[in-house]
Amino acid sequence: MKIGGLLKFSMIDFPGYISAIVFTQGCNIRCKYCHNPELLSVNSDTNYSEEEILFYLEKRKKCLEGLVITGGEPTLQADLKDFIIKVKAMGYKIKLDTNGTNPQVVKDLIDNNLVDFIAMDIKAPFEKYFQVCGPVDTEKVKESMSLIINSKIPYQFRTTYYKEVLNDADIEAIKAMCPDVSKFKLQECLPVTEIKPTLKLEHAI
Ligand code: SF4
């Protein structure tokens, strides 16, 4: 696993569970509002080894309940499944954050009961995806949506309200794609310059 960041403790990122968050290195799309530019390149140096993360989780398993795996885009990691198996063996619940571009990975994790919650971004109505994040195979995004909706796993779809491209009608159109609107979350798009990079602040395990 290429891991660019660790947040050691969160009460708000995994519904129902006190969790840690790992940020995987590398993303296959380029959202114009991305707040984690340090994580975009798959070739960047990583800040943590998998062993460091597993060591931390082993030490904290009495006070942490879950691990959020976010990015970057976690489904790009060739050894994601093996990593999750190791973390679940410690008793942790797993939340996966994904942009939905790798449905085959999402399906494999669902089929093998390796995820307990999935949060997937819907960047825009499909005809506007390119304007928000460049070239994306939206058929794969649709496939991931369908897999998640038809799984028995708790999930959330979420959209960042990027007002340079999206408008209220677009948000309504995205909601209309969600069979259960209570599982849709609209996120504020914060100015990138106001976001402080936190990814390297937590290195002292
Ligand atoms: S999917 Fe996430 S990490 Fe990738 S560019 Fe978009 S906001 Fe950034």
Side-chain angles (χ1 to χ4, degrees):
M1 287 278 284
K2 294 191 81 174
I3 297 168
L6 168 69
L7 189 63
K8 291 181 178 175
F9 184 87
S10 170
M11 303 275 289
I12 59 172
D13 288 278
F14 190 164
Y17 298 103
I18 300 167
S19 60
I21 306 175
V22 291
F23 298 79
T24 59
Q25 184 70 44
C27 187
N28 54 344
I29 64 175
R30 292 292 182 268
C31 303
K32 290 182 178 158
Y33 52 76
C34 182
H35 293 136
N36 293 330
E38 304 93 338
L39 294 172
L40 293 181
S41 172
V42 287
N43 297 316
S44 292
D45 289 339
T46 51
N47 292 321
Y48 298 94
S49 68
E50 181 178 309
E51 290 67 33
E52 283 178 291
I53 300 295
L54 293 174
F55 178 71
Y56 175 71
L57 293 174
E58 182 65 37
K59 268 199 323 185
R60 297 301 158 95
K61 65 185 183 184
K62 289 199 175 128
C63 56
L64 293 173
E65 303 165 305
L67 180 68
V68 178
I69 306 176
T70 189
E73 173 49 40
T75 63
L76 297 181
Q77 304 291 320
D79 47 359
L80 175 65
K81 184 177 178 181
D82 291 341
F83 175 72
I84 291 177
I85 288 170
K86 290 174 198 167
V87 175
K88 282 190 89 68
M90 293 182 207
Y92 282 93
K93 301 284 186 186
I94 298 290
K95 173 175 176 266
L96 176 73
D97 291 353
T98 180
N99 61 27
T101 54
N102 280 317
Q104 72 283 4
V105 175
V106 171
K107 181 177 189 316
D108 189 39
L109 296 178
I110 291 172
D111 288 350
N112 287 285
N113 296 314
L114 290 173
V115 277
D116 302 285
F117 193 104
I118 301 177
M120 184 186 136
D121 295 340
I122 303 175
K123 303 292 185 185
F126 294 120
E127 68 277 10
K128 281 192 165 180
Y129 249 73
F130 185 85
Q131 293 175 65
V132 174
C133 45
V136 174
D137 184 345
T138 53
E139 289 306 311
K140 290 191 170 173
V141 176
K142 288 177 198 170
E143 192 179 337
S144 291
M145 279 188 77
S146 176
L147 285 165
I148 292 167
I149 289 165
N150 292 313
S151 76
K152 295 188 168 57
I153 295 169
Y155 69 87
Q156 184 176 66
F157 293 129
R158 53 197 191 178
T159 298
T160 298
Y161 200 168
Y162 180 55
K163 290 188 177 173
E164 280 77 357
V165 173
L166 303 179
N167 56 39
D168 288 353
D170 292 325
I171 301 304
E172 290 308 312
I174 295 168
K175 281 186 185 173
M177 294 194 284
C178 302
D180 182 349
V181 82
S182 71
K183 295 180 178 176
F184 173 78
K185 182 181 178 192
L186 188 63
Q187 303 181 133
E188 188 182 0
C189 188
L190 299 170
V192 174
T193 50
E194 289 184 10
I195 302 294
K196 294 194 170 48
T198 57
L199 301 174
K200 293 175 184 166
L201 298 180
E202 297 281 344
H203 201 106
I205 291 181

